Amino acid sequence: MQRKLATIMVGDFVGSTPAMETDEEGAISRIDSVLETVRTVVQRHDGRVFGAAGDALLAEFASPVNALRSAIEARAEIAALPGSSGGDMRFGLHLADVVVVGSDLRGDGVNIAARIEASAPPGAIEVSGLLYDQVRRVSPCGFEDIGERRLKGIVEPIRIYRVTELVDRHVFQFAPTRSAPGAAQSPRTNSIAVARFDVAPGAVADQCFLAEGITDDLTLELSRLRGLFVSSRSAATALTTKDPVEIGRLLGVGYVISGSIRQVGDDLRVNIALTETCEGLVIWSDRIKRPFGELLDVLDEIIARVAATVSGRIEQSELAAVRLKRPENMTAYEYYLRGLDHHRLIGVSDIHIHEAMAWFERAMAADPGFGRPFAMHVCSWSNLPSFDMSRAEQQVAHALALDPSDPEAHRIMGAIKMKSGDFVSARYHHIRAHELAPNDAYILGRSAAFYVYAGEAEHALDMLDRAETLDPFLPVWITEERVAALYALGRFENMMRVALTLPFQTRRKSLYQVAASMACGDAGKAELLVRQALSLDPSLSAVYIRMQETYADESVTETLVMRNCDAGLPLTPRKAAARKKSLSLR
């Protein structure tokens, strides 16, 4: 028998029997409309409907992420149909090895997806633990861990996760806003990309956090050198290819640095290579074996060697000036990297907020003179309802006192000052962050938000242009800032076109689309968009807008609120049990 690995999505219309009893012809018409909407969305995401049973559809996808997005978008589009709501369908998704029988798929994998769907409440999207593990790092949404569930006819219990709201601020969400450019880009002068480091064969899986952290630190510290053009971390990670020539063609860089890492006891083994991208020639490569306590010295050596090779002679004084303050205790650095690994997944599941904070707290205790964990702890904490702005400001001020050269600490302080209404201090910290990391697309993109709120949307657009030059695969949480900037400028038609280029819905994009539609006199479209937004997050309300869209000119925020409420957005959350929205400084 032919077999293949596939993601199975089962969608079922809820309540068809009572609907038929009340109005048979009307119910049939409504069910057909809903199922046709699901078919269209499945095709849009490169899926295939392979089975139907009355009011249910079975679809397959090669990509688990596409399957998840398909379910989310189908639910939103169903909510916009006349007489429908997001609760008309429920979905079950599972990743499994299935049997191919002609155009049909069969086996336990299909049955499990169907059982997950059947056990889900109306309007819910539930996925198996196997599928969750595949999508959690690139998911556009959060998840609630439902726990293990025994499904009818399935011997072993299946871990179930339920889709919650969309993720607004997913720091390392590598969901690119555009596909890989088809035409080759000429390499920029003194340009380099840091490919994601691998865990060397034989290393334990637990060392992934170390490989990710080294990739981050190399990218950040190289981007602080003004003589280098450094492609962003997300750009290098968004590419699936490992071929330096292909990376150079797609990112427009002349060099690629790549490598792997393995920790064996107290020893660290790093394999590293610098490759030019025109012909794929290795300029230099090295195998480094040093005690783990000398890891940061190894990074300094790599940075100096890369800088000397790519951009010629760089004074030692400049190299020293761009270095972040090093921890005195390497255990603290390891704890910091473990916290950062969980911080990347904040928004996907609340457990990562608490895990990130716990690791940062361990790092703070292990080395009270190491500033970065203090700042990142605040960044993680801002995702919880318990966040205290005053205490957070004091903690970030302490981080900056320990290391005034940390650009991310300056950016976080700038965000805190902005949320507190102190736009003068916020401007200083955002400018300082950019000065300290002039080639960091992350800093540029997040700083653009400040200028939107400060009433300088044109400058924000210039910063976003620069960020896109550094990173042709900007994640949605940055690119959606262009929507806000164009709205603030009153360029509503242009804003709508940009909004349509985003690969999936976000709450902010939807709210700005609603307001722009109302401003253009299209109340019908605005009301439809509100219904879609509420299907994605039933607790969405004006409270969220006032918390997140903090313009210096408060009338802009209030107009945004008024236009959304006039289109049907509630003033306060409709669900009494809805989770309190968090601020999120990411």
Side-chain angles (χ1 to χ4, degrees):
M1 289 185 179
Q2 182 183 352
R3 308 185 70 96
K4 68 177 180 180
L5 188 66
T7 301
I8 305 299
M9 182 185 86
V10 178
D12 186 26
F13 189 94
V14 178
S16 58
T17 301
M20 290 279 194
E21 291 177 352
T22 304
D23 178 6
E24 186 176 62
E25 292 186 1
I28 291 173
S29 176
R30 182 177 161 199
I31 292 169
D32 286 346
S33 179
V34 167
L35 295 183
E36 184 57 34
T37 297
V38 178
R39 288 180 185 272
T40 301
V41 174
V42 167
Q43 292 173 359
R44 186 189 308 156
H45 289 279
D46 300 323
R48 179 182 74 91
V49 174
F50 66 87
D55 52 7
L57 288 179
L58 292 83
E60 67 158 324
F61 298 82
S63 162
V65 174
N66 279 355
L68 179 62
R69 289 182 182 170
S70 181
I72 292 171
E73 289 186 19
R75 184 171 64 177
E77 293 192 15
I78 290 168
L81 296 174
S84 296
S85 70
D88 281 343
M89 291 283 287
R90 61 188 176 200
F91 296 90
L93 288 81
H94 180 53
L95 177 67
D97 188 283
V98 295
V99 177
V100 180
V101 182
S103 61
D104 195 11
L105 299 179
R106 299 177 188 173
D108 271 352
V110 179
N111 294 337
I112 289 173
R115 298 302 188 210
I116 292 173
E117 175 275 313
S119 64
I125 301 170
E126 294 191 345
V127 308
S128 67
L130 284 173
L131 188 134
Y132 170 79
D133 288 340
Q134 293 296 312
V135 303
R136 64 194 181 103
R137 285 188 177 271
V138 292
S139 170
C141 61
F143 292 90
E144 177 186 359
D145 185 352
I146 302 299
E148 290 191 338
R149 182 184 293 165
R150 289 199 171 274
L151 304 174
K152 183 179 178 181
I154 308 297
V155 176
E156 296 181 351
I158 303 293
R159 192 161 203 89
I160 303 294
Y161 292 83
R162 182 175 300 158
V163 169
T164 56
E165 70 272 8
L166 295 183
V167 177
D168 280 328
R169 298 285 190 274
H170 193 336
V171 179
F172 293 102
Q173 180 190 69
F174 303 120
T177 56
R178 63 177 74 171
S179 58
Q185 298 187 52
S186 298
R188 300 173 181 86
T189 303
N190 298 342
S191 57
I192 188 169
V194 181
R196 181 170 56 186
F197 271 57
D198 295 321
V199 176
V204 296
D206 187 49
Q207 292 178 19
C208 287
F209 79 93
L210 192 57
E212 296 273 1
I214 287 177
T215 307
D216 283 344
D217 271 8
L218 270 178
T219 303
L220 172 61
E221 300 220 18
L222 286 170
S223 71
R224 286 159 60 82
L225 291 168
R226 295 184 182 277
L228 293 181
F229 177 98
V230 184
S231 188
S232 81
R233 166 71 194 278
S234 63
T237 306
L239 299 176
T240 56
T241 180
K242 292 282 189 179
D243 181 3
V245 175
E246 186 70 2
I247 292 174
R249 186 183 74 83
L250 295 174
L251 300 183
V253 295
Y255 298 87
V256 172
I257 189 165
S258 58
S260 63
I261 189 164
R262 180 184 180 187
Q263 186 177 358
V264 182
D266 294 331
D267 288 335
L268 192 70
R269 299 176 184 178
V270 180
N271 295 328
I272 191 164
L274 180 71
T275 307
E276 64 85 30
T277 62
C278 290
E279 298 181 11
L281 299 176
V282 175
I283 304 301
W284 55 259
S285 64
D286 206 350
R287 293 184 177 182
I288 304 169
K289 182 180 178 181
R290 301 272 280 277
F292 179 76
E294 298 179 15
L295 169 60
L296 298 178
D297 294 332
V298 171
L299 292 183
D300 283 343
E301 293 170 11
I302 292 170
I303 291 164
R305 196 169 177 183
V306 169
T309 304
V310 176
S311 63
R313 184 171 177 266
I314 290 181
E315 296 291 344
Q316 287 299 315
S317 59
E318 182 181 352
L319 287 170
V322 302
R323 290 174 188 154
L324 294 169
K325 184 179 178 182
R326 302 305 198 189
E328 296 180 4
N329 184 324
M330 283 304 293
T331 299
Y333 184 66
E334 178 182 342
Y335 290 163
Y336 164 75
L337 293 183
R338 288 185 182 276
L340 198 61
D341 197 47
H342 284 284
H343 184 77
R344 295 184 184 98
L345 296 174
I346 286 177
V348 176
S349 176
D350 283 355
I351 186 63
H352 295 294
I353 304 175
H354 301 289
E355 286 288 338
M357 291 177 67
W359 282 112
F360 290 141
E361 287 163 7
R362 290 187 183 101
M364 291 151 58
D367 187 351
F370 183 26
R372 272 184 279 174
F374 288 88
M376 292 308 300
H377 180 269
V378 167
C379 204
S380 296
W381 183 23
S382 70
N383 294 278
L384 291 176
S386 62
F387 182 67
D388 184 313
M389 190 84 77
S390 177
R391 286 175 53 199
E393 183 176 336
Q394 293 174 11
Q395 186 167 315
V396 179
H398 178 66
L400 286 170
L402 292 172
D403 186 2
S405 68
D406 186 346
E408 184 62 358
H410 277 286
R411 185 201 66 79
I412 294 169
M413 180 62 89
I416 290 173
K417 291 291 188 181
M418 181 181 70
K419 294 296 182 183
S420 302
D422 184 354
F423 277 76
V424 174
S425 297
R427 182 184 300 276
Y428 164 78
H429 286 289
H430 279 100
I431 290 173
R432 189 68 185 127
H434 185 209
E435 289 174 345
L436 290 166
N439 296 315
D440 191 309
Y442 176 76
I443 295 290
L444 280 166
R446 294 310 303 132
S447 296
F450 164 76
Y451 290 100
V452 172
Y453 294 137
E456 301 172 43
E458 288 286 5
H459 184 50
L461 290 174
D462 290 341
M463 296 187 77
L464 290 169
D465 287 341
R466 168 66 175 162
E468 286 190 0
T469 300
L470 287 165
D471 183 354
F473 297 91
L474 280 176
V476 173
W477 61 269
I478 285 182
T479 303
E480 69 175 6
E481 209 61 60
R482 190 177 293 274
V483 172
L486 292 170
Y487 171 86
L489 291 168
R491 291 156 57 179
F492 300 130
E493 290 186 7
N494 192 6
M495 189 216 83
M496 289 295 205
R497 285 195 294 271
V498 170
L500 291 174
T501 66
L502 300 186
F504 52 83
Q505 291 269 21
T506 70
R507 283 177 288 199
R508 290 188 73 217
K509 181 190 85 165
S510 297
L511 295 171
Y512 277 105
Q513 283 180 299
V514 170
S517 297
M518 291 296 288
C520 294
D522 193 345
K525 182 175 182 180
E527 291 167 3
L528 182 152
L529 288 166
V530 166
R531 291 200 300 272
Q532 288 182 329
L534 289 172
S535 76
L536 295 168
D537 182 2
S539 66
L540 196 60
S541 72
V543 172
Y544 173 82
I545 299 177
R546 289 196 174 99
M547 179 180 289
Q548 296 292 344
E549 308 307 310
T550 51
Y551 285 87
D553 182 352
E554 294 181 4
S555 67
V556 179
T557 302
E558 290 309 309
T559 300
L560 187 63
V561 168
M562 178 191 68
R563 286 170 174 168
N564 272 274
C565 289
D566 286 348
L569 187 73
L571 279 169
T572 57
R574 287 176 176 169
K575 288 192 171 184
R579 291 191 305 170
K580 181 181 176 183
K581 296 297 182 187
S582 57
L583 182 64
S584 186
L585 298 175
R586 289 179 287 158

